[in-house]
Amino acid sequence: MSVLVATLVLFGAFLLLLFLGVPIAISIAVSALATMLLVLPYDQASFVVMQKMNSGIESFTLLAVPLFILAGNIMNNGGIAGRLIRFAQLLTGRLPGSLAQTNVMGNMLFGALSGSAVAAAAAIGGTMNKAQEEQKYPKGFAAAVNIASAPTGLLIPPTAAFIVYSMIAGGVSISALFMAGVVPGILMGLVVMVVAFVHARRYDLPRSSSPSRGEVARITLDALPSLLLILLVVGGIVVGVFTATEGAGIAVLYCLVLSLLYRGLTWASLQRVLISSVATSGIILFLIAASSAMSWVMAYTGIPQAISEALLSVSGSVIVVFLLMNLILLVIGTFMDITPAILIFTPIFLPIVTDLGMDPVHFGVVLIFNMCIGTMTPPVGSVLFVGVSVARTTIEKVAPALVPYLLALVVLLLIVTFVPVLSLGLPGLLGLL
């Protein structure tokens, strides 16, 4: 069997099944099985695929993923979002279009705590949308700001995306990845704030009134327990006090206690949170299992090496190859969610970029940054659809306002790609590389 035939069968079957509306995890598993049938009888091929699916989720580290999902869902329902919004407003209240700036800062804080762009877009955007409507903010502008800033939490730690990438990339340090995402994640939020500032000046949007010193102290103290979660979990993992999985467990306990103290979580809402977390975790773990089988099949048939040779044959220039890689990943991000994209394309691109001198930690940041942009774009952009829904508007109205943010973020992506110190400086300074 030639590598070309294996590639055509694997990706041809995968795309065909997606086109027919088959769930992505099943599409991945079936396409992996179809490829193995080219070289093995059905009973052996099915056994190998199931074995690789099982081994793909036999990992203690992977337990961090459902635990972080549960922590994020508890925060989303436990009264934490409102406190973070009020704290964010203290930091941005004097800027033009202060409610939009508060939306960005709130997404950065809440996204970092929950590790979920969709949760941030729903919780922060849903709350801020009412206030922005009252102050006559254009709906398209308000929705675009929320959509563009919600994915910052996928880069600012703690985030499950880096944990998934670490597993697929062969045990790249989670601590290093967490620290590598800090600067690009903050820069992503700042870029959105700059574009929002320009638009706010153009629309002559109002500033918030200055709070009294007493209000500043009260709001800060109210938000402080939530903010300490980042320091507790990320700091503990980076210093080595506990593993990522143990840190995720601590995050669940901390968020649960905090939500109960805030009286934002009832027994009925806790049941809904647990059911929702189980459902989401089941989907993601099945995706990981299926993608593990596909990754093994690709390695067995030599597909990554063939793609690497084809890409390098286009040009020997590092700049050209990195530009092509980003272009491919940006296109992939438009129709594939972040978890399957990490699982499928890490084994393909990681060998290429490491051969060209890119650090695996740096590549992890670049890959996830690409997928962050993908969450904002149709046809599968989860953050786009949530942002449009909470703003009670349409994609047609949001799209023109969203374009400047997308262009600015693509420019930042290229800067992060070609300036490694933005990703590697902090983990290097902390001795994590």
Side-chain angles (χ1 to χ4, degrees):
M1 178 192 63
S2 70
V3 177
L4 178 60
V5 172
T7 305
L8 291 174
V9 170
L10 183 68
F11 290 107
F14 177 61
L15 293 174
L16 176 62
L17 290 168
L18 285 182
F19 179 76
L20 294 174
V22 177
I24 189 167
I26 297 174
S27 301
I28 291 169
V30 171
S31 58
L33 177 60
T35 307
M36 286 307 299
L37 288 173
L38 296 174
V39 292
L40 292 174
Y42 174 77
D43 56 342
Q44 295 180 27
S46 58
F47 175 78
V48 168
V49 170
M50 287 187 290
Q51 183 186 51
K52 297 304 174 184
M53 289 178 67
N54 182 65
S55 62
I57 54 175
E58 281 186 336
S59 168
F60 176 73
T61 303
L62 196 56
L63 283 173
V65 174
L67 287 172
F68 274 126
I69 289 170
L70 177 57
N73 283 339
I74 291 172
M75 281 187 282
N76 202 19
N77 292 270
I80 293 174
R83 288 167 171 82
L84 292 177
I85 287 173
R86 288 191 290 274
F87 179 74
Q89 199 159 9
L90 291 181
L91 305 176
T92 61
R94 299 307 300 156
L95 294 172
S98 59
L99 291 181
Q101 305 290 358
T102 299
N103 199 152
V104 178
M105 187 65 69
N107 274 334
M108 291 173 70
L109 294 171
F110 188 83
L113 288 169
S114 68
S116 171
V118 171
I124 304 299
T127 303
M128 293 303 303
N129 181 66
K130 298 175 185 176
Q132 291 180 82
E133 277 186 354
E134 290 173 1
Q135 295 201 17
K136 309 299 181 184
Y137 279 57
K139 275 196 172 185
F141 167 74
V145 169
N146 184 42
I147 292 164
S149 59
T152 53
L154 296 175
L155 285 168
I156 302 173
T159 170
F162 281 133
I163 296 171
V164 174
Y165 170 77
S166 171
M167 289 181 54
I168 303 301
V172 176
S173 168
I174 294 175
S175 298
L177 287 166
F178 276 7
M179 290 298 97
V182 171
V183 174
I186 292 173
L187 287 175
M188 184 179 179
L190 291 176
V191 164
V192 175
M193 291 180 77
V194 169
V195 178
F197 177 86
V198 173
H199 281 218
R201 292 288 294 271
R202 176 184 170 191
Y203 292 124
D204 194 25
L205 296 176
R207 308 167 192 254
S208 297
S209 57
S210 298
S212 66
R213 290 183 180 180
E215 287 177 316
V216 170
R218 179 180 56 79
I219 291 170
T220 302
L221 288 173
D222 206 25
L224 194 58
S226 302
L227 297 173
L228 283 175
L229 177 62
I230 300 176
L231 183 62
L232 175 67
V233 175
V234 177
I237 294 171
V238 170
V239 173
V241 176
F242 40 74
T243 66
T245 304
E246 292 162 348
I250 291 169
V252 171
L253 180 61
Y254 189 98
C255 292
L256 183 59
V257 171
L258 202 59
S259 297
L260 291 174
L261 290 175
Y262 287 159
R263 298 182 180 178
L265 204 62
T266 64
W267 175 245
S269 61
L270 179 59
Q271 287 180 302
R272 290 194 298 270
V273 164
L274 291 172
I275 292 169
S276 173
S277 300
V278 168
T280 304
S281 298
I283 293 169
I284 291 177
L285 290 174
F286 186 43
L287 270 171
I288 293 173
S291 300
S292 298
M294 177 182 268
S295 298
W296 185 87
V297 169
M298 286 193 296
Y300 181 80
T301 55
I303 291 174
Q305 293 88 338
I307 294 175
S308 175
E309 292 171 4
L311 192 57
L312 293 173
S313 69
V314 174
S315 173
S317 168
V318 172
I319 294 175
V320 173
V321 172
F322 284 1
L323 286 173
L324 284 173
M325 177 192 70
N326 276 313
L327 178 61
I328 293 168
L329 290 173
L330 283 171
V331 172
I332 289 165
T334 64
F335 66 87
M336 187 175 291
D337 202 12
I338 184 167
T339 301
I342 292 170
L343 294 163
I344 294 171
F345 292 96
T346 296
I348 293 175
F349 287 113
L350 184 58
I352 299 174
V353 297
T354 51
D355 285 345
L356 294 173
M358 179 181 277
D359 189 284
V361 172
H362 182 200
F363 173 68
V365 174
V366 172
L367 172 62
I368 291 168
F369 202 135
N370 273 281
M371 296 303 109
C372 286
I373 296 175
T375 64
M376 311 172 198
T377 54
V380 187
S382 53
V383 174
L384 172 66
F385 291 111
V386 170
V388 168
S389 175
V390 298
R392 298 194 297 275
T393 184
T394 63
I395 292 178
E396 290 78 13
K397 292 180 180 177
V398 173
L402 189 58
V403 169
Y405 296 96
L406 291 174
L407 292 176
L409 291 174
V410 168
V411 171
L412 178 61
L413 168 64
L414 295 178
I415 294 172
V416 170
T417 301
F418 292 106
V419 185
V421 71
L422 294 176
S423 302
L424 303 180
L426 187 55
L429 195 64
L430 297 173
L432 298 173
L433 296 177

